[in-house]
Amino acid sequence: MPRHEFQPGKLVAGLFLTATGVVYAGDAVGLWDIPWFAVIPLVLGGLCLAGATAVLARAIRGRGGAEEGQR
C-alpha cells in the first residue's frame, strides 16, 4: 500500500470541524446552550488556521517536496 504525504493543513481543518460537531452534539444532548452563530468563528477560524498551516508546511518543504515523493 503506498504511503501518503502528511498534510498538516488538512489535519487542522479536520480537528476544527470535528470540534464544531462536538460542540453542536453537546448542545443537542443538552449539556450546554450554544447559539446558532457559534459555528461561524469555529469554522472560519479553523479554515484560516488550516490555510496558514498548509502554507507554512509548503514553505518548509520547499517546491520540490511533492515531486520527489512521486517516483
Side-chain angles (χ1 to χ4, degrees), residues 3-15 49-58 61 65-66 70:
R3 297 185 60 97
H4 297 283
E5 179 181 355
F6 176 64
Q7 297 177 346
K10 288 185 179 183
L11 174 66
V12 171
L15 288 174
L49 188 59
T53 304
V55 167
L56 182 64
R58 173 78 180 211
R61 284 191 188 130
Q70 297 183 7

Side-chain angles (χ1 to χ4, degrees), residues 16-44:
F16 270 87
L17 293 175
T18 301
T20 303
V22 167
V23 165
Y24 276 110
D27 184 32
V29 172
L31 295 175
W32 51 76
D33 187 31
I34 303 295
W36 64 269
F37 52 84
V39 72
I40 296 169
L42 277 172
V43 171
L44 288 180

